[in-house]
């Protein structure tokens, strides 16, 4: 794959180098990891839609309102998915 150059401030470059040094890796790999881990708004929307579909399939609905009465059920649902049921 062809390489390209990205211009950043000296402070950003130095920070990326410090992160890379602590990770025993390169700035190139630090930037690649950041790009791979950062979701776009479209990816976030898709993840949210998949989550809502999974909750609906399990019979759990959650309003966007934090005071939603189904909030505890939704939190229990996610805890179960994550293997942290209490």
């Amino acid at each position: 794959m062809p390489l390209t150059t990205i211009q950043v401030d000296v402070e950003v470059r130095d920070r990326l180098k410090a992160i890379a040094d602590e990770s025993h890796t390169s700035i190139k790999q630090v930037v690649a990891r950041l790009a791979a881990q950062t979701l776009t708004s479209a990816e976030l929307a898709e993840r949210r839609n998949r989550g809502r579909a999974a909750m609906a399939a399990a019979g759990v609905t959650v309003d966007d309102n934090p005071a939603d009465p189904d909030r505890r059920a939704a939190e229990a649902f996610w805890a179960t998915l994550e293997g942290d049921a209490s």
Side-chain angles (χ1 to χ4, degrees):
M1 179 181 319
L3 298 178
T4 187
T5 301
I6 300 172
Q7 294 183 355
V8 297
D9 294 334
V10 171
E11 294 82 11
V12 173
R13 182 209 55 206
D14 292 348
R15 174 131 176 97
L16 288 170
K17 178 155 180 19
I19 293 167
D21 289 347
E22 285 189 10
S23 303
H24 305 290
T25 189
S26 67
I27 291 175
K28 176 183 172 183
Q29 290 171 317
V30 169
V31 172
R33 185 174 60 231
L34 174 65
Q37 292 175 346
T38 304
L39 300 176
T40 65
S41 56
E43 291 166 331
L44 286 170
E46 174 60 24
R47 187 171 283 190
R48 182 175 47 251
N49 291 338
R50 283 193 330 243
R52 286 184 174 158
M55 288 189 298
V60 177
T61 58
V62 177
D63 191 323
D64 287 335
N65 177 359
D68 181 1
D70 287 332
R71 183 99 183 187
R72 284 196 185 114
E75 288 172 352
F77 171 80
W78 285 115
T80 300
L81 281 182
E82 294 171 355
D84 189 33
S86 42

